[in-house]
Structures are given as structure tokens and as C-alpha cells.
Amino acid sequence: MTKIRNMEEFARLTGISRPTVSKFFNDPASVRVSTRNRIEKALEQYDYRPNIFAINQNRKLTKNIGILVPYLADPFFAEIARKIERRCIDAGFWPILFSAHGEQKTENDILDSLRSLKPAGALLAPLGRRSDRAALEQFCRAVPTVLFDSNIEGIGTAFIGSDNAHFVGQIVEYLCRTGEPPCFFEMQPVNPNANKRRNAYIAVMERLGHVPNVLRVEGGGWDFEKVGYEGALAMLDANRLTTNTVLCSNDRLAIGFLTACYERGLKVGYAEGCALRVAGIDDHPFSRFTCPPLTTVAQDYESVSNRSTETLFQLIDSDGPPATRVEMLFEGRLVMRASA
């Protein structure tokens, strides 16, 4: 079988003009039926597939959509990126997914690479406090951009995320209503969401007439389960808990906390004989499979991913950015399971 290296060779072998062949690959319906049949028959004969990425780059407006998340190994980001990717494909765009691996330099390098790909737009979940604000601002001036999950004020044309204050209000009120008021178990914050959750916890506890108790453990980065596990062991061994109810800043920390409880022989739950109640925030994809299953507040993955992509598509189709930055927050849903 003849090996065809590019579209020019394919056009020469088929006897069809290069512009017509290019037109077919951009939109098969745009060429005559007889010509389309000839091209499709030749594709079967020579088993040729064009470099769609190169074709895309030659357009004035590409169909590329850049998607950047802080840490793709985190199942939360994997799930929301999967939904965003599917929406982009269904809308006829070509999603290109990147992970910053929790590193500012990697995030900056990805932003530079994305700009060179001439994307029609981008969906960014920035690192947050570790991000280079100047690099993000420069990128967002050049590319229609919607931020999701982690909001950095004034960056991007829009932000779509979750109402962290509402999340925390639901879970704290539930825990206070059904048992002892919770302490708040956290690590060094890696993005603005963590700070918002802590501040909301303090505000809700004070509103309910309780004394807030924030317990921060050592450790940083994105290995939340390990930080939660090691921090909880140290805390349990030092007898630092002043309540039998623990609200973790996120479900991944809670998963580590549950493992530490198991190792120390502490039964978790609200049934008779349980030593502690443990809850989290996010409804991490693994939370229903912990032992015991984790009580939490569910992120609205579907709404955040759908509205993020819809907003970006509107920006791409519009003549320019809106007069004011768009912000939309989705509320969470309390999920009561056996841990609390």
C-alpha cells in the first residue's frame, strides 16, 4: 500500500485539487456528492488520515479548547475534566487537557504552550495561591478564558464554581444538630477554596453560639490523603481533639483521617460504641466507598462543567468580552452516610 505523507500527495494521487480535498476535510458536506464519494473511496484505498491538528492550526479561529487543572491524579479534577472534555467534543471542539502537577512553573509553561496552539478558548482551574498572577493575566488577555473551581479575582472573563460558604453552612448545621459541634481539620491551604471553607466554618459556628476550633496539620502539596493520615495520627496521639466530631476541609483529607482512626482502633460513625464522627466536603468519587462511607457535601459536578463550557462557547461566539466579569456559584447537597 502506498504510504501518503501529506494532503498534497493524497490530492495528486486522487487527481482531485488540493483546495477541494482541504474543503472536504473541513466540511464533507461542502463538496459535491460525486467528489465526496471519490475522496471517501480513495481514503479506503490508501488508508490516509490527514493531520487534523495541522489543519486546525491553519484556521483563523481554531477549534482547539485548552483545559488546565492543578492535579489530574485528583479524582475530583479527573471527573470534572472528563465532563468538560465530553461537552467540548459534542460541540465540535478539540479539547486539549493539561495538568499543572501542583507546580507554578509547569502551569506557566502550559499557558505558554496553549497560546502557541491558538486556542478558540480555554477553561482553567488555576493552582490558586501558587499561581503566577501576571502569567494568568497575560494569558487571559490573549485567549477567551473561563475559570472554574478556583477563583482568582479579576482573572479571566468568567468564573464558574461552588458556593463554599453554602457547603460549610449545610454540614456544620447538620453536625451541630445531630451531635457535638465539630472542630475543623485542615492543612496548609493550596487554593482559595480552602480559606473560604475555614472562614465559613468560623462564621457558622459563631452564629450558632459555638466556639470555633480550627486544627491545622503540617504538610503541603497535593498528597492530601497522606497529609490527613499523618496529621490525624499525630493529633490523636497527642489527644488534641476537644470534641468527638471532626469536619475535614475536604474529602481527601477525611479519607486520610479515617485511615488514622482505623490504625488507632477508633470506631467512626454515629452508632452506639463509636468514638468519633468524621465528615468531609466535596463528595469525592471515592467517598461512598470509604469505611465507613463518608458523610459530606456534594459538589454539583454536572452544573459546574456544563455552565463552564456553555459560558466559554458564548464568549467564543460573541464579538468581545462582557462589560463585567461573570461569576456563578452552585450550591452543594448534603450527603448523609455512616461516618457522621
Side-chain angles (χ1 to χ4, degrees):
M1 182 180 291
T2 304
K3 178 69 174 178
I4 299 177
R5 293 175 298 177
N6 53 48
M7 200 177 296
E8 285 74 14
E9 289 186 6
F10 179 77
R12 187 170 60 253
L13 282 170
T14 58
I16 301 170
S17 71
R18 170 66 170 77
T20 300
V21 172
S22 178
K23 190 177 180 183
F24 167 83
F25 284 121
N26 278 307
D27 180 11
S30 66
V31 301
R32 290 183 298 180
V33 174
S34 58
T35 303
R36 186 162 71 243
N37 290 338
R38 286 178 62 193
I39 294 174
E40 289 174 350
K41 185 176 180 179
L43 286 173
E44 293 180 7
Q45 178 182 352
Y46 297 113
D47 192 28
Y48 169 66
R49 295 295 180 271
N51 186 337
I52 297 298
F53 186 77
I55 294 172
N56 202 3
Q57 289 304 101
N58 289 328
R59 293 172 173 159
K60 183 177 180 181
L61 178 63
T62 74
K63 300 293 282 185
N64 298 330
I65 296 288
I67 305 169
L68 171 62
V69 298
Y71 197 69
L72 195 54
D74 186 326
F76 166 77
F77 289 113
E79 177 66 12
I80 202 163
R82 180 184 69 83
K83 291 181 180 294
I84 287 174
E85 186 179 47
R86 185 73 261 172
R87 286 297 306 276
C88 290
I89 293 171
D90 290 344
F93 289 93
W94 186 256
I96 307 171
L97 179 60
F98 296 92
S99 170
H101 299 279
E103 301 169 353
Q104 183 189 97
K105 182 181 183 305
T106 302
E107 184 174 78
N108 286 352
D109 289 345
I110 290 168
L111 294 176
D112 286 341
S113 297
L114 262 178
R115 286 190 65 185
S116 70
L117 297 177
K118 301 190 296 185
L123 292 152
L124 308 182
L127 292 172
R129 62 191 299 271
R130 291 190 178 186
S131 291
D132 181 340
R133 185 181 178 93
L136 284 171
E137 287 177 337
Q138 184 180 36
F139 179 86
C140 293
R141 282 195 297 267
V143 179
T145 303
V146 172
L147 268 57
F148 67 95
D149 181 65
S150 182
N151 191 14
I152 301 180
E153 299 293 337
I155 299 290
T157 310
F159 170 72
I160 311 297
S162 298
D163 189 339
N164 286 285
H166 179 263
F167 280 27
V168 174
Q170 278 197 85
I171 194 75
V172 171
E173 289 176 0
Y174 166 75
L175 293 172
C176 290
R177 187 170 64 248
T178 56
E180 292 185 11
C183 62
F184 189 77
F185 181 80
E186 69 168 8
M187 59 183 280
Q188 180 70 30
V190 296
N191 64 27
N193 293 334
N195 291 323
K196 290 175 182 177
R197 292 176 181 185
R198 181 201 328 108
N199 294 339
Y201 162 78
I202 293 171
V204 175
M205 287 286 284
E206 291 177 345
R207 175 170 59 80
L208 295 176
H210 302 299
V211 177
N213 183 14
V214 175
L215 302 173
R216 178 177 292 187
V217 297
E218 298 297 323
W222 287 86
D223 197 358
F224 296 173
E225 292 86 358
K226 181 180 179 182
V227 172
Y229 164 70
E230 294 177 347
L233 283 179
M235 194 168 295
L236 293 171
D237 291 344
N239 198 28
R240 289 182 58 193
L241 295 182
T242 58
T243 173
N244 69 3
T245 305
V246 180
L247 172 60
C248 298
S249 179
N250 61 64
D251 285 358
R252 292 184 61 196
L253 279 176
I255 290 171
F257 199 103
L258 289 175
T259 303
C261 289
Y262 173 79
E263 287 205 2
R264 291 297 181 261
L266 297 172
K267 187 175 180 181
V268 174
Y270 54 78
E272 185 176 349
C274 291
L276 291 173
R277 295 190 303 158
V278 177
I281 300 170
D282 286 331
D283 198 22
H284 183 291
F286 297 164
S287 295
R288 70 190 66 185
F289 303 115
T290 58
C291 187
L294 186 65
T295 290
T296 185
V297 179
Q299 295 256 11
D300 192 344
Y301 292 88
E302 200 72 31
S303 294
V304 170
S305 58
N306 286 347
R307 187 55 61 90
S308 296
T309 51
E310 288 170 4
T311 303
L312 182 61
F313 298 157
Q314 290 168 5
L315 289 174
I316 293 170
D317 291 338
S318 66
D319 295 330
T324 58
R325 186 173 187 260
V326 176
E327 290 195 15
M328 178 165 290
L329 302 179
F330 288 94
E331 296 183 347
R333 175 176 53 87
L334 181 64
V335 180
M336 294 174 286
R337 299 192 181 112
S339 72

